[in-house]
C-alpha cells in the first residue's frame, strides 16, 4: 500500500523480505534487479562466508543486514563504534560478513543479509 500526504505519494509498496529470490526492480541498464535474504548462524568466529555462486550474480546493487545476538540484541551491518565496524561485502561468489563489535554475541548468533543484484540470463 502506498503512503500519501496531502495527495502526494510518499513511498511505494511495503518491502517484502524473503529467502526466496524475488524481482524488485530494474537497474539503470535495463537489467532485472533481484533480491534475496539469507539467514544463517554465525558460529563462534568473527567472519562468516556464504557461498552464492549458484545465483549467477553479475552486479551487486546493495547489501544490508544485521546480526542478532542470543540475548536478542541486533547490530546492523555497517555499525561503527569507535572504529569497530561490522560489515558485509561480496568477493569471489561469496558474501563475507565480518563482525568486529567489541562485545559477546553469545553462542551461535544469527545473521540476516539481504542482497540486491542483477544476474546472468543463463
Amino acid at each position: 500500500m502506498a503512503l500519501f500526504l496531502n495527495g502526494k505519494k510518499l513511498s511505494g509498496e511495503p518491502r517484502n523480505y524473503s529467502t526466496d529470490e524475488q524481482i524488485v526492480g530494474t537497474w539503470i541498464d535495463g537489467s532485472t534487479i533481484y533480491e534475496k535474504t539469507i539467514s544463517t548462524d554465525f558460529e563462534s568466529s568473527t567472519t562468516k562466508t556464504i557461498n552464492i555462486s549458484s545465483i549467477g550474480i553479475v552486479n551487486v546493487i546493495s547489501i544490508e543486514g544485521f546480526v542478532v545476538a542470543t540475548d536478542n540484541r541486533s547490530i546492523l551491518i555497517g555499525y561503527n563504534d569507535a572504529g569497530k565496524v561490522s560489515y558485509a561485502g561480496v568477493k569471489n561468489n561469496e558474501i563475507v560478513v565480518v563482525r568486529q563489535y567489541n562485545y559477546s554475541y553469545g553462542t551461535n548468533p544469527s545473521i540476516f543479509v539481504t542482497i540486491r543484484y542483477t544476474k546472468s540470463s543463463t
Side-chain angles (χ1 to χ4, degrees):
M1 177 166 110
L3 299 176
F4 293 86
L5 177 64
N6 298 328
K8 293 184 181 180
K9 187 175 180 181
L10 296 177
S11 67
E13 296 298 316
R15 193 162 170 188
N16 296 310
Y17 292 89
S18 176
T19 56
D20 294 325
E21 181 178 82
Q22 56 187 344
I23 295 173
V24 295
T26 304
W27 187 235
I28 57 177
D29 67 0
S31 299
T32 302
I33 299 174
Y34 299 88
E35 178 181 273
K36 182 175 188 160
T37 298
I38 299 165
S39 169
T40 187
D41 289 340
F42 220 127
E43 293 109 20
S44 60
S45 68
T46 58
T47 302
K48 175 72 174 188
T49 57
I50 304 163
N51 188 311
I52 54 171
S53 61
S54 64
I55 297 175
I57 292 175
V58 172
N59 291 305
V60 175
I61 307 302
S62 67
I63 186 167
E64 61 186 32
F66 57 96
V67 178
V68 179
T70 53
D71 65 0
N72 289 325
R73 289 175 291 162
S74 294
I75 303 298
L76 293 175
I77 293 173
Y79 182 77
N80 184 344
D81 179 28
K84 297 171 185 79
V85 182
S86 297
Y87 61 89
V90 176
K91 180 179 180 183
N92 300 329
N93 286 312
E94 292 182 325
I95 296 174
V96 179
V97 182
V98 177
R99 59 183 175 103
Q100 295 182 351
Y101 194 73
N102 195 21
Y103 63 67
S104 173
Y105 287 85
T107 304
N108 294 331
S110 299
I111 59 172
F112 297 88
V113 177
T114 300
I115 185 168
R116 286 184 172 199
Y117 52 91
T118 63
K119 64 182 191 174
S120 57
S121 57
T122 58

